[in-house]
Amino acid sequence: MYFVIFRLDRDEEIEVGKLGKILFRKGYYVYSGSAKRGFSKRIRRHFSRNKRLHWHVDYLSMKAEAVEAYRCRADEHQIAELASRFMEGIKGFGSSDCRCYSHLYYSETYPSDFIEEAKKLNYVLAERLNYEEL
């Protein structure tokens, strides 16, 4: 389990697969995901723009820059629930296979309060990952 922080430098309307066009506002996005197998490969994928578009987050990552990733003890649903306390969710994003409102949350500013709370709750296994070393 993990979360990735993306930064979008300007407002962008992005076509996101079956979700259709979504207006993403300039700011930061926290995406919660799971990688039961191939964790390192999954994280590297989020930081890459050289990929076939498959998951909702792939569409965002073509326009927004992945800036940080954290490995977590908590599952993707717990991370999404925590993020919802601090940020605005993008309805249905990354959560088509579960009951969560979203697995992507927006903040106009860097989501430091969310990260600190995740650490306090012992959700985060390690400090920020250096994806280049994965």
Side-chain angles (χ1 to χ4, degrees):
M1 308 319 144
Y2 64 90
F3 64 87
V4 177
I5 299 172
F6 292 92
R7 183 182 64 234
L8 188 61
D9 291 330
R10 64 176 192 236
D11 292 354
E12 283 273 352
E13 189 173 65
I14 302 171
E15 182 83 31
V16 180
K18 292 180 181 178
L19 290 179
K21 288 185 179 178
I22 298 174
L23 178 60
F24 290 90
R25 292 177 285 166
K26 175 183 175 181
Y28 291 85
Y29 292 84
V30 173
Y31 174 75
S32 64
S34 66
K36 294 172 179 82
R37 290 177 279 128
F39 175 78
S40 297
K41 186 176 177 182
R42 181 69 56 89
I43 298 301
R44 283 194 305 270
R45 179 183 180 85
H46 293 314
F47 281 81
S48 172
R49 292 201 168 138
N50 184 20
K51 59 189 159 202
R52 185 175 72 79
L53 303 179
H54 179 70
W55 290 292
H56 291 156
V57 70
D58 290 342
Y59 296 88
L60 174 64
S61 69
M62 297 304 284
K63 300 287 185 174
E65 179 184 5
V67 293
E68 295 178 5
Y70 292 82
R71 192 169 204 156
C72 299
R73 283 187 180 86
D75 68 29
E76 64 194 296
H77 314 294
Q78 292 170 303
I79 294 296
E81 193 281 322
L82 177 63
S84 73
R85 296 185 212 164
F86 294 90
M87 297 172 275
E88 176 186 338
I90 310 303
K91 186 177 182 182
F93 194 103
S95 59
S96 55
D97 62 346
C98 70
R99 294 184 194 162
C100 294
Y101 179 78
S102 182
H103 283 191
L104 184 71
Y105 288 83
Y106 167 76
S107 176
E108 187 176 330
T109 60
Y110 180 80
S112 54
D113 291 345
F114 161 77
I115 294 168
E116 289 308 310
E117 188 66 16
K119 288 178 182 178
K120 273 191 225 170
L121 292 171
N122 206 22
Y123 280 7
V124 176
L125 277 171
E127 290 298 315
R128 185 175 75 160
L129 296 169
N130 180 348
Y131 80 94
E132 293 168 344
E133 295 175 0
L134 294 172

